[in-house]
Amino acid sequence: MKQPTRLNHPPEVTVPDDNRALVAPIYQSVKFTFDSVEESQRQSRGERDGFVYSRVSNPTLRQLELTLAELQGREGCLVTASGIAAVQLALLALCKQNDHVIFFAEMYQPTRYIVRRQLARYGVRSTMLSIEDTAGIERTLATTPTRLVVFETPSNPMLKVADLGAIVAAARKHEALTVLDNTFAGFHNYGQFDIDVFVHSLTKYASGHGDVMGGAIIAAKSIIDGMRADFVVSGATLDPHTAFLIQRGLKTYFLRYERQCENAMRIARFLATRSEVKAVRYPGLESDRGHALAKQQQRDFGTIVTFELAGELETARKFSNALKLFAISASLGSTESLVQPGELMRPRDLTEQERAWAAVSDSTIRLSIGIEDASDLIDDLTQALTVSV
Ligand SMILES: Cc1ncc(COP(=O)(O)O)c(C=O)c1O
């Protein structure tokens, strides 16, 4: 072999079966080969296992899919290049012209865009409600044949807790599918409910370090298989190296999430004692209106704490600017604590009535709690409250 040929056909290194790598290697290869045309054909006819092209599947992506499906308590999973790609793919794959979708004012704004703008272009009708309007959900399901109920709980940023049992039962009764964006509560929550499809942003708690993006759709194998052809042509494939980093992040998922929840509870309790704070929203507080429901349906109370400062826009701005450990940043689920004042979370696509459901005001503050020492975070909040209110 001449040198240019050799460089393109390097020596193979085989690892003995009893000498495995402790950490699975990254399959950073777009293409996979077979030893013969016949084997390649057998694979494409589904008569044997194997991989062909990474946009379709790849062993590193497959490992992440298996991990996430098991964590959420379902059989099937597709990983995507971002969380919103998972939302969009799930909704596009599950709907057709003239279907009707129920969704909510308290949802992630780009999800509302997908339902109200994109699906609408393809003739999908929709009704937007408040996530706390359980009676309205039942009434709409009873009067309008509905394909999907798409929702989130606890809601962002006001942490309203949806009655999962009631929503799932009503959807089943009226033969609608439920799609839960479970990014906030995490993979370890809600698997016990008869929810058809979970979507997640892996950008948050799964990767955990705020340095990569990804998404996942998790459901029964039959539902995932039904979406596969749409997934392959969407092009929203996750890169294997990113999948590897997310798989690595998942090793500390519970350590991080549990620590974040512990810190969040301490911070919520602290804020509730302060005169500069008008109200605290955290489902872990016994006084929170979602507490009883959250206690019954969640394993923990989450890592986000939202509160209302005594004051207006200027106070919230001063408070956010004064914080030293909480970075002013969108998103959540990082190891670092983050802050978002109400003026950066105003829903721009809602009417006044719908905005009242979302309930974000100029004095709202959302904290995404990290894994730092809680007493340092409380000291930082104390100094910012003292200088701003
Ligand atoms: C609830 C929820 N769903 C979906 C997404 C979208 O995820 P990504 O940013 O990974 O596309 C986000 C992002 O903030 C989110 O908060």
Side-chain angles (χ1 to χ4, degrees):
M1 239 188 264
K2 306 282 185 310
Q3 284 181 329
T5 310
R6 189 51 168 163
L7 290 184
N8 285 284
H9 297 268
E12 264 187 50
V13 177
T14 50
V15 180
D17 281 351
D18 64 349
N19 175 221
R20 289 172 292 276
L22 181 59
V23 174
I26 311 171
Y27 283 85
Q28 193 75 55
S29 181
V30 171
K31 295 145 202 148
F32 293 82
T33 68
F34 292 95
D35 285 344
S36 68
V37 174
E38 290 80 359
E39 284 307 301
S40 184
Q41 283 172 331
R42 277 196 346 103
Q43 197 276 344
S44 69
R45 287 195 297 262
E47 292 165 13
R48 57 158 290 172
D49 285 341
F51 297 90
V52 177
Y53 192 59
S54 282
R55 175 153 50 73
V56 180
S57 194
N58 167 298
T60 308
L61 305 187
R62 191 70 203 123
Q63 184 182 47
L64 181 59
E65 288 170 351
L66 292 171
T67 307
L68 295 175
E70 189 178 320
L71 194 56
Q72 185 66 84
R74 295 295 185 272
E75 286 170 355
C77 177
L78 284 171
V79 288
T80 56
S82 68
I84 202 63
V87 175
Q88 189 195 48
L89 176 65
L91 299 187
L92 281 174
L94 291 170
C95 286
K96 61 179 187 331
Q97 193 178 22
N98 293 327
D99 280 346
H100 175 254
V101 173
I102 297 177
F103 71 117
F104 299 93
E106 296 92 334
M107 299 191 78
Y108 185 52
Q109 191 271 333
T111 302
R112 293 200 298 267
Y113 177 87
I114 291 168
V115 175
R116 288 217 280 198
R117 303 278 175 257
Q118 291 192 310
L119 291 184
R121 287 209 293 271
Y122 301 109
V124 176
R125 295 160 302 122
S126 60
T127 301
M128 183 162 71
L129 299 168
S130 167
I131 193 63
E132 289 180 318
D133 185 7
T134 309
I137 298 169
E138 282 170 11
R139 200 169 43 244
T140 308
L141 283 166
T143 52
T144 313
T146 295
R147 171 70 172 155
L148 299 181
V149 182
V150 187
F151 66 113
E152 293 166 21
T153 185
S155 70
N156 177 25
M158 298 315 287
L159 306 177
K160 294 183 182 178
V161 180
D163 187 340
L164 275 176
I167 293 174
V168 170
R172 262 297 158 259
K173 182 168 156 203
H174 297 286
E175 296 178 5
L177 294 176
T178 42
V179 179
L180 172 60
D181 181 337
N182 204 15
T183 300
F184 256 58
F187 305 89
H188 59 292
N189 271 306
Y190 306 145
Q192 76 274 27
F193 287 95
D194 189 17
I195 290 160
D196 296 295
V197 179
F198 291 94
V199 290
H200 286 268
S201 167
L202 306 181
T203 314
K204 315 294 183 322
Y205 305 103
S207 70
H209 295 77
D211 48 10
V212 291
M213 306 196 79
I217 307 172
I218 304 173
K221 190 172 171 305
S222 57
I223 295 180
I224 294 295
D225 284 346
M227 292 177 178
R228 208 170 280 283
D230 282 9
F231 164 72
V232 168
V233 298
S234 76
T237 315
L238 193 62
D239 173 74
H241 190 253
T242 306
F244 167 83
L245 289 174
I246 295 171
Q247 186 82 51
R248 182 167 75 166
L250 280 169
K251 291 188 178 188
T252 54
Y253 171 82
F254 282 107
L255 294 179
R256 287 183 281 104
Y257 202 90
E258 284 163 15
R259 170 67 172 251
Q260 287 167 310
C261 288
E262 246 172 63
N263 282 356
M265 180 63 105
R266 279 187 60 186
I267 286 166
R269 291 219 163 103
F270 158 77
L271 290 169
T273 65
R274 297 293 300 204
S275 59
E276 303 93 335
V277 173
K278 275 196 298 201
V280 183
R281 291 302 312 255
Y282 184 65
L285 293 178
E286 291 76 8
S287 56
D288 191 88
R289 66 176 194 243
H291 178 69
L293 207 47
K295 199 167 162 195
Q296 181 196 317
Q297 65 189 26
Q298 295 172 215
R299 277 164 62 175
D300 39 53
F301 299 110
T303 75
I304 306 292
V305 179
T306 299
F307 63 100
E308 297 296 320
L309 274 175
E312 295 301 330
L313 188 137
E314 263 315 307
T315 314
R317 193 179 284 180
K318 251 166 94 182
F319 172 80
S320 305
N321 289 343
L323 286 167
K324 294 185 169 58
L325 291 177
F326 291 77
I328 300 169
S329 174
S331 197
L332 54 130
S334 287
T335 56
E336 309 89 355
S337 293
L338 309 173
V339 61
Q340 277 279 278
E343 67 176 307
L344 298 183
M345 299 188 291
R346 270 184 212 136
R348 290 182 221 289
D349 61 322
L350 299 181
T351 63
E352 209 156 306
Q353 141 99 79
E354 294 161 354
R355 223 176 281 154
W357 293 338
V360 180
S361 80
D362 284 343
S363 57
T364 303
I365 301 283
R366 184 188 79 178
L367 302 176
S368 167
I369 308 297
I371 63 170
E372 302 95 332
D373 189 285
S375 60
D376 284 335
L377 296 176
I378 288 172
D379 286 350
D380 195 26
L381 292 165
T382 307
Q383 66 79 22
L385 286 171
T386 312
V387 300
S388 57
V389 186

